[in-house]
Amino acid sequence: MAASSLLRYPTLPLHPHHPTATHNPRTTLHFNPIKCSSTDTTPPKHRRPADENIRQEAHRRHTTNQGFSAKYVPFNADPSSTESYSLDEIVYRSRSGGLLDVEHDMEALRKFDGQYWKNLFDSRVGKTNWPYGSGVWSKKEWVLPEIDSDDIVSAFEGNSNLFWAERYGKQFLGMNDLWVKHCGISHTGSFKDLGMTVLVSQVNRLRKMNRPVVGVGCASTGDTSAALSAYCAAAGIPSIVFLPANRISIAQLVQPIANGAFVLSLDTDFDGCMQLIREVTAELPIYLANSLNSLRLEGQKTAAIEILQQFDWQVPDWVIVPGGNLGNIYAFYKGFHMCKELGLVDRIPRLVCAQAANANPLYLHFKSDWKDFSAVKAKTTFASAIQIGDPVSIDRAVYALQKSNGIVEEATEEELMDAMAQADSTGMFICPHTGVALTALIKLRNSGVIKPTERTVVVSTAHGLKFTQSKIDYHSKAIPDMACRYANPPVNVKADFGSVMDVLKKYLLSKDSKA
Ligand SMILES: Cc1ncc(COP(=O)(O)O)c(C=O)c1O
Ligand SMILES: N[C@@H](CCOP(=O)(O)O)C(=O)O
């Protein structure tokens, strides 16, 4: 850099032995200080000392939790119920055997108005401050208010892309305000990270309190196990996963293996694995990580808050969520409901839960006007992560749908695969479960229930790269009894100029005639 250009930076001291230093008095004394404008009152930001990491920095800056607290209560309990448990207890069921819910001290949270919470949450987005850089922990006061930031195990999950599906909406649905919340573009490739950071953080705390937790276990169709094993590995906690043999994708199977989990491949389906893990966790010091454990849903609910935040706290008309074990649909309801209760928004969106027709117990229940619930034997589906016939959170899902004037839809194998292929053809790369949710949207648009201008969010739950085999089968038209109408197989061409030119000309002509 020339000396003349250095001189334009009066605060930059030159090395005393620099050749220009002795010759140019301006370098040391005669500079004009830069004047701060009267509005520039922010204190200078100091970088933390080099030998301190972000966790230690958070520890040093320790903030009190201002009296916020949460506890377990029976889910949808009678208002007269006094049953409750500390979050530091190891309990998954109420005395009557029902589900539990995490109840926050809403009076304490209400001491701050909606605008306060919006400002606080907005101020934390996209930063690296521990633990608020996480989309989950940026809402810590509403998630696990009492946990010490030191105990948190986080991969800065959340803050996922809310994608404007411009071309898909326009071309296939005549919609201009269609969005896909990409929860699968995440640390382990699914929305499970949002809940698992909370659960594993609490386990970390329990272990420090010398509670009897030797490991953490789950039954899984692939995504819960991936998230559990990654977060446990990050914290040095043993993880144990029960997987239904030959029913999950290779990409999902390799995740817990790579993360050092103890993997049991069981000759049963997910419901069989779930039954077993429940029995095992009742006997052994293994903490249950499935969404039967209501802690998980505290993290998952932040995706709903994030959607509102991304729309600058405007409420979408519809949110469509694929459902399997049915914790997530309730988590979305809970996130939206809390925002309304605490004055951040004045209404909640209508929820749609979308199921594969081959694993549709909630759909059948909805169709019976919520009269009879029966578990089903789930059949094989390309949406393998929701191949669940006896969902543990059925009561939570019914509650969420009834309170949000919700709807349940289903998708056949052909419908979900076609929807996935069409979405991919517009630049997405979605998983089959998102194909199920898109099918629900197509049906509700065709029946006129969802209007073309209504703002709609489809929740994409896993990364498409976990399900490449289903896409390969579809694009090679290798699926029995499926037309695979939108297949785009590669063309085998002789490696000579003439052959390549012939196919390219044909291709360009076909494109030209469509222009
Ligand atoms: C990719 C994916 N989508 C959707 C779901 C359904 O979520 P839930 O079980 O909470 O209904 C699951 C897991 O069940 C999943 O792994
Ligand atoms: N799709 C899930 C099934 C288990 O659901 P959970 O939310 O109760 O853990 C998975 O990926 O295992």
Side-chain angles (χ1 to χ4, degrees):
M1 189 185 277
S4 59
S5 60
L6 278 179
L7 296 178
R8 279 192 266 122
Y9 298 89
T11 52
L12 187 72
L14 288 182
H15 190 281
H17 297 144
H18 189 281
T20 61
T22 50
H23 302 305
N24 193 333
R26 288 192 65 198
T27 56
T28 48
L29 291 174
H30 305 283
F31 59 84
N32 297 321
I34 297 171
K35 290 212 178 84
C36 294
S37 78
S38 56
T39 53
D40 187 7
T41 55
T42 39
K45 294 236 165 91
H46 295 295
R47 206 171 146 175
R48 65 175 185 281
D51 60 353
E52 183 180 77
N53 64 37
I54 54 171
R55 195 187 282 278
Q56 293 161 335
E57 181 185 38
H59 187 83
R60 176 167 50 83
R61 295 204 170 143
H62 181 77
T63 46
T64 51
N65 92 357
Q66 296 164 294
F68 305 129
S69 66
K71 61 187 177 189
Y72 293 122
V73 296
F75 170 73
N76 196 17
D78 189 279
S80 64
S81 164
T82 53
E83 185 181 344
S84 71
Y85 307 89
S86 153
L87 298 188
D88 293 334
E89 285 185 60
I90 298 173
V91 53
Y92 315 115
R93 287 272 182 195
S94 71
R95 267 200 296 272
S96 66
L99 294 162
L100 293 176
D101 199 18
V102 173
E103 185 181 85
H104 289 264
D105 179 348
M106 296 297 277
E107 285 321 305
L109 293 171
R110 248 188 225 110
K111 291 200 178 114
F112 298 83
D113 67 8
Q115 196 55 49
Y116 169 85
W117 290 115
K118 289 193 230 181
N119 291 345
L120 181 70
F121 296 160
D122 287 347
S123 74
R124 291 171 173 169
V125 175
K127 305 280 168 40
T128 53
N129 298 340
W130 187 264
Y132 306 118
S134 153
V136 172
W137 296 107
S138 62
K139 282 107 190 156
K140 182 174 183 283
E141 294 81 354
W142 292 24
V143 174
L144 276 191
E146 288 162 289
I147 197 166
D148 194 310
S149 292
D150 238 15
D151 295 340
I152 287 175
V153 182
S154 168
F156 278 7
E157 50 291 304
N159 290 326
S160 60
N161 180 14
L162 182 57
F163 172 88
W164 179 36
E166 180 181 15
R167 182 156 164 240
Y168 182 84
K170 194 167 160 190
Q171 184 167 332
F172 297 109
L173 297 160
M175 297 179 84
N176 64 3
D177 210 0
L178 174 62
W179 301 78
V180 175
K181 176 67 173 163
H182 274 304
C183 293
I185 302 180
S186 176
H187 184 60
T188 70
S190 87
F191 72 95
K192 305 286 180 175
D193 294 341
L194 304 176
M196 211 53 83
T197 180
V198 176
L199 185 133
V200 174
S201 298
Q202 178 65 13
V203 168
N204 202 26
R205 170 179 162 97
L206 294 175
R207 281 163 61 96
K208 287 188 185 175
M209 296 165 93
N210 291 321
R211 295 291 154 92
V213 182
V214 178
V216 192
C218 72
S220 183
T221 53
D223 291 321
T224 297
S225 46
L228 175 65
S229 52
Y231 283 84
C232 279
I237 300 171
S239 62
I240 300 115
V241 306
F242 288 10
L243 303 179
N246 304 319
R247 285 178 172 88
I248 70 170
S249 76
I250 292 287
Q252 290 171 309
L253 172 62
V254 81
Q255 289 184 282
I257 292 174
N259 285 141
F262 188 54
V263 179
L264 302 194
S265 180
L266 299 165
D267 185 18
T268 179
D269 57 10
F270 170 79
D271 298 301
C273 291
M274 190 69 224
Q275 182 56 35
L276 280 167
I277 195 77
R278 280 166 73 165
E279 290 169 19
V280 164
T281 50
E283 294 292 321
L284 296 175
I286 298 175
Y287 192 78
L288 179 67
N290 284 102
S291 60
L292 177 66
N293 187 327
S294 42
L295 277 180
R296 279 261 314 278
L297 306 181
E298 290 308 293
Q300 289 173 212
K301 82 181 179 198
T302 60
I305 306 169
E306 220 171 85
I307 288 172
L308 297 174
Q309 189 171 20
Q310 286 167 311
F311 285 133
D312 210 5
W313 306 102
Q314 291 165 16
V315 185
D317 300 301
W318 296 91
V319 174
I320 306 178
V321 186
N325 222 10
L326 300 181
N328 211 27
I329 185 77
Y330 176 68
F332 269 90
Y333 167 76
K334 193 169 183 186
F336 288 129
H337 180 66
M338 247 177 123
C339 286
K340 180 165 173 269
E341 285 290 286
L342 292 169
L344 285 75
V345 294
D346 58 4
R347 65 185 178 95
I348 67 167
R350 289 185 71 182
L351 297 181
V352 178
C353 189
Q355 291 210 296
N358 280 356
N360 62 354
L362 181 71
Y363 177 77
L364 297 177
H365 192 32
F366 173 73
K367 283 290 167 189
S368 78
D369 279 332
W370 305 121
K371 281 199 192 71
D372 315 295
F373 176 75
S374 312
V376 301
K377 182 82 191 156
K379 297 197 278 285
T380 304
T381 167
F382 280 106
S384 54
I386 52 175
Q387 190 182 327
I388 297 172
D390 192 8
V392 298
S393 285
I394 180 69
D395 295 345
R396 291 175 175 142
V398 172
Y399 182 91
L401 289 159
Q402 288 179 341
K403 294 280 180 190
S404 66
N405 192 16
I407 294 175
V408 187
E409 262 299 348
E410 67 170 358
T412 66
E413 292 303 289
E414 182 148 20
E415 287 168 340
L416 74 92
M417 291 299 277
D418 281 348
M420 179 172 79
Q422 285 182 321
D424 286 357
S425 77
T426 64
M428 291 183 251
F429 195 77
I430 59 168
C431 69
H433 321 85
T434 311
V436 172
L438 286 174
T439 302
L441 170 61
I442 294 166
K443 290 183 172 176
L444 293 170
R445 270 292 298 120
N446 289 344
S447 62
V449 174
I450 297 185
K451 310 277 181 303
T453 53
E454 286 184 313
R455 178 174 287 178
T456 303
V457 179
V458 169
V459 176
S460 178
T461 43
H463 203 297
L465 283 171
K466 288 195 184 198
F467 299 93
T468 46
Q469 190 57 50
S470 64
K471 292 178 192 282
I472 292 168
D473 293 347
Y474 184 91
H475 288 290
S476 16
K477 297 197 172 218
I479 305 173
D481 303 322
M482 198 180 284
C484 303
R485 284 182 294 155
Y486 308 102
N488 178 32
V491 183
N492 292 322
V493 196
K494 255 176 79 188
D496 66 61
F497 182 72
S499 309
V500 170
M501 287 296 279
D502 283 350
V503 292
L504 280 180
K505 280 181 191 158
K506 232 164 135 188
Y507 170 76
L508 292 178
L509 268 176
S510 76
K511 288 288 147 192
D512 208 28
S513 61
K514 283 180 195 152

